[in-house]
């Protein structure tokens, strides 16, 4: 169990205190975050191995049933930390079991545009490239952006409110429309972290996902409080 000030002594999360709240939560819960990062990365190994071997479709499907539930558990873990609630490793594993089915379905939905993109890319070798292929690529990229933005809210909604998937998707779309600046900022941060992993060091894969989860978790507490 972490050692941190009780929730009543913490200032409310606002747009002006958002970054400082993330930084303080990260600093005061660093050991627990490192443990959760280890658990999450272990769950991602099977999918990473398949993707490294070039087995993209099997890799994405395995990612849905392993990394997806682990991401949901990481979200519950970091939301509790950001809300100054007691956390321990049992919470992570219980969350994996409790949200396995729903989180796997949400992950499959999020990965669907990536699967579509993978099947569309070989068609670019046709000369000239048909217009329908360009339209398909545009639809794939649009789907990636929309569903990536949606996942910023669906996973916190799933673990925090335990709503059915249909209601989770509906509420996620509502939050995207009401908080476009929050959504854009988190997407930009995710892209920045992705470039850091790709161009600086793959070792950042161990740390950055859990830090990104903490940003998403804190944002979810912010918007949930504003919607209350």
């Amino acid at each position: 169990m972490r050692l941190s000030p009780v929730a009543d002594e913490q200032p409310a999360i606002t747009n002006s205190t958002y970054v400082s709240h993330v930084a303080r939560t990260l600093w005061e819960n660093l050991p627990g975050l490192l443990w959760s990062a280890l658990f999450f990365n272990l769950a991602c190994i099977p999918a990473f191995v398949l993707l490294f071997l070039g087995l993209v479709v099997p890799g994405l499907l395995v990612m849905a049933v392993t990394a997806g539930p682990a991401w949901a558990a990481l979200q519950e873990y970091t939301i509790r930390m950001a809300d100054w609630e007691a956390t321990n490793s049992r919470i992570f594993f219980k969350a994996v079991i409790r949200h396995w089915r729903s989180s796997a379905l949400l992950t499959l939905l999020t990965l669907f545009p990536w699967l579509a993109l993978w099947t569309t890319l070989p068609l670019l070798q046709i000369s000239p490239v048909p217009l329908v292929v360009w339209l398909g690529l545009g639809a794939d990229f649009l789907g990636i952006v929309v569903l990536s933005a949606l996942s910023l809210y669906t996973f916190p909604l799933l673990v925090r409110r335990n709503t059915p998937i249909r209601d989770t998707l509906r509420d996620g779309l509502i939050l995207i429309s009401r908080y476009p600046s929050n959504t854009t900022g988190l997407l930009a941060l995710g892209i920045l972290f992705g470039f850091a992993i790709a161009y600086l060091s793959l070792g950042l894969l161990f740390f950055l996902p859990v830090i990104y989860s903490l940003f998403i978790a804190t944002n979810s507490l912010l918007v949930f409080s504003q919607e209350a």
Side-chain angles (χ1 to χ4, degrees):
M1 183 179 298
R2 63 183 175 81
L3 298 176
S4 61
V6 296
D8 291 342
E9 297 176 357
Q10 303 308 311
I13 304 173
T14 64
N15 291 328
S16 60
T17 63
Y18 172 76
V19 174
S20 62
H21 188 94
V22 172
R24 184 174 182 181
T25 305
L26 175 64
W27 177 255
E28 296 193 6
N29 297 276
L30 188 57
L33 286 170
L34 291 177
W35 276 112
S36 64
L38 176 62
F39 298 149
F40 176 74
N41 280 273
L42 288 175
C44 292
I45 286 177
F48 285 158
V49 170
L50 290 173
L51 292 173
F52 179 78
L53 295 175
L55 303 173
V56 175
V57 175
L60 292 178
L61 293 176
V62 170
M63 183 180 294
V65 298
T66 56
W71 179 254
L74 186 60
Q75 281 286 277
E76 178 160 338
Y77 195 79
T78 51
I79 286 174
R80 283 176 170 268
M81 282 187 172
D83 205 23
W84 302 106
E85 298 177 14
T87 56
N88 54 54
S89 59
R90 290 193 300 272
I91 291 174
F92 187 95
F93 295 112
K94 288 180 179 179
V96 169
I97 297 172
R98 183 166 61 253
H99 302 297
W100 185 87
R101 181 177 178 275
S102 297
S103 58
L105 290 174
L106 284 176
T107 308
L108 275 175
L109 177 64
T110 305
L111 293 177
F112 179 77
W114 291 98
L115 289 170
L117 178 63
W118 179 253
T119 58
T120 306
L121 285 177
L123 299 178
L124 292 177
Q125 299 177 2
I126 301 174
S127 182
V129 179
L131 177 61
V132 67
V133 174
W134 291 115
L135 292 175
L137 282 174
D140 293 339
F141 283 115
L142 178 61
I144 289 171
V145 172
V146 172
L147 290 175
S148 296
L150 192 60
S151 68
L152 299 174
Y153 300 100
T154 51
F155 283 92
L157 284 166
L158 176 67
V159 302
R160 197 64 172 178
R161 298 185 175 178
N162 199 28
T163 54
I165 290 182
R166 180 178 298 179
D167 295 341
T168 299
L169 294 173
R170 179 202 64 203
D171 294 344
L173 288 171
I174 293 173
L175 292 175
I176 288 176
S177 65
R178 290 183 179 176
Y179 302 95
S181 59
N182 300 49
T183 305
T184 303
L186 285 173
L187 287 176
L189 182 63
I191 293 172
L192 178 63
F193 282 178
F195 278 117
I197 292 169
Y199 293 103
L200 295 181
S201 173
L202 288 176
L204 293 173
L205 272 172
F206 183 80
F207 302 103
L208 291 188
V210 70
I211 296 175
Y212 191 47
S213 177
L214 185 57
F215 273 96
I216 296 173
T218 307
N219 176 71
S220 69
L221 292 175
L222 172 62
V223 299
F224 292 168
S225 65
Q226 294 177 350
E227 289 293 309

